[in-house]
Every structure is written in structure tokens, then in C-alpha cells.
Amino acid sequence: MTTLVELRAVDALREFTDRDLEVLLGAATTRRFPAGAALMEEGGAAVSCFVLVAGEVEVVRASPEGSRVLALQGAGAVVGHMALVDRTPRSATVRALTPVTALELPRDVFERLLEACSPLAIRFQEQIALAGIRQLRRATARLVEVAGAQDPAQIARAPEALRD
């Protein structure tokens, strides 16, 4: 079982109050994954997200050329967070690179916390929005890089949806 002391040691969770973290500990289930284990599989049902307490994971997506690593995430990261707001299948596989301890937060529990106006759920929702924005920015930067549009004039001519 994960403790408040363990969560306090995670830099990314320092903005949360002790009460918020206690609610998280009560609402989530501690899960441990050995290196190489999948926390979630691309195409699988998206019914929960994970807050990484310890360890490192890779986010991998299948492509015609084989698996492609999209990101590496460590303690404090939330993975599978789109499951809390989007009911579509998983868009990537998340695999433990090292032994991982994570808190699994089911979507139905998150929704009940939101309905109760839990400060934790509201903070979590803000974190999900910020993570989505960061992902969009990285994808936009990568698209610009791949397209060879590194000249600011070319970027300015890019479609509105691709700009920061």
C-alpha cells in the first residue's frame, strides 16, 4: 500500500494538499508492475488512469514500421489519463521499463469525486488538461520538424490548428 509519505516524495504531487493526497489514496488502488509488464495495452478498454509513484514507463504505439516509443514517463506522471474524459480505446501501450508502483484511479471513482466537487478531482482535471496541452505542443513541434518547416515564416503559414 502506498503511503502519504511516499506521495509527498514525488515532486510532481507537491501542489496537492495532504487532504487531496489522502483522498487519492482512499480512492485509488496501489498496483505494482515488474519491468516489462504492460500497465495498459493499445486498443484496450480505457477504464482507469495511473499515477506513477515510483519507476519509469515507456509509452509505445504500433506503426507499420513496428513499435514506436512516444514518451518516457517517471514518478508523478499520470498515464492513461484520457480514459477519465474520453471513452475511446487506448491509443498506446504503456510498459514498465523498471519496477513500477502506481495508483490506479478508475473512471467511475473519478466521476463520483467530480460530482462531489472534490478539490482532488478538480486539481486532477486541471492536470489532465495541462498534460493534454503538453502532448499537443510536442506533437505540433514534431510535425513541424518532420515537415521540415523550421523556418518561422513556414510555421506562420501552417494551418491554424497546428499552431501553439
Side-chain angles (χ1 to χ4, degrees):
M1 180 168 190
T2 303
T3 66
L4 184 60
V5 172
E6 289 174 295
L7 293 183
R8 276 281 153 238
V10 178
D11 284 342
L13 299 177
R14 72 173 155 239
E15 292 182 21
F16 290 87
T17 67
D18 283 352
R19 180 67 187 128
D20 289 342
L21 295 177
E22 288 168 358
V23 170
L24 177 60
L25 287 170
T29 302
T30 298
R31 301 275 311 270
R32 299 189 196 291
F33 299 89
L39 283 71
M40 63 195 71
E41 295 280 347
E42 183 175 350
V47 296
S48 64
C49 74
F50 294 88
V51 178
L52 302 181
V53 177
E56 186 176 31
V57 300
E58 63 180 355
V59 180
V60 180
R61 185 159 189 173
S63 73
E65 297 80 33
S67 293
R68 181 177 187 160
V69 176
L70 302 176
L72 301 176
Q73 300 286 338
V78 178
V79 294
H81 54 280
M82 293 308 297
L84 299 181
V85 294
D86 183 356
R87 295 179 185 273
T88 59
R90 298 280 187 198
S91 61
T93 295
V94 176
R95 188 175 303 114
L97 289 175
T98 65
V100 167
T101 300
L103 293 174
E104 183 175 20
L105 182 65
R107 180 181 34 229
D108 63 327
V109 172
F110 176 72
E111 288 172 350
R112 283 196 305 269
L113 289 170
L114 270 178
E115 288 171 7
C117 297
S118 163
L120 168 72
I122 293 166
R123 286 179 189 256
F124 218 73
Q125 199 169 34
E126 289 171 358
Q127 293 295 323
I128 291 168
L130 289 173
I133 290 166
R134 282 187 216 105
Q135 287 176 335
L136 182 57
R137 288 183 188 273
R138 282 193 302 270
T140 300
R142 180 70 178 134
L143 179 61
V144 168
E145 178 185 312
V146 168
Q150 295 180 5
D151 175 7
Q154 287 177 305
I155 295 170
R157 290 189 299 270
E160 185 69 23
L162 299 178
R163 292 189 213 149
D164 285 342

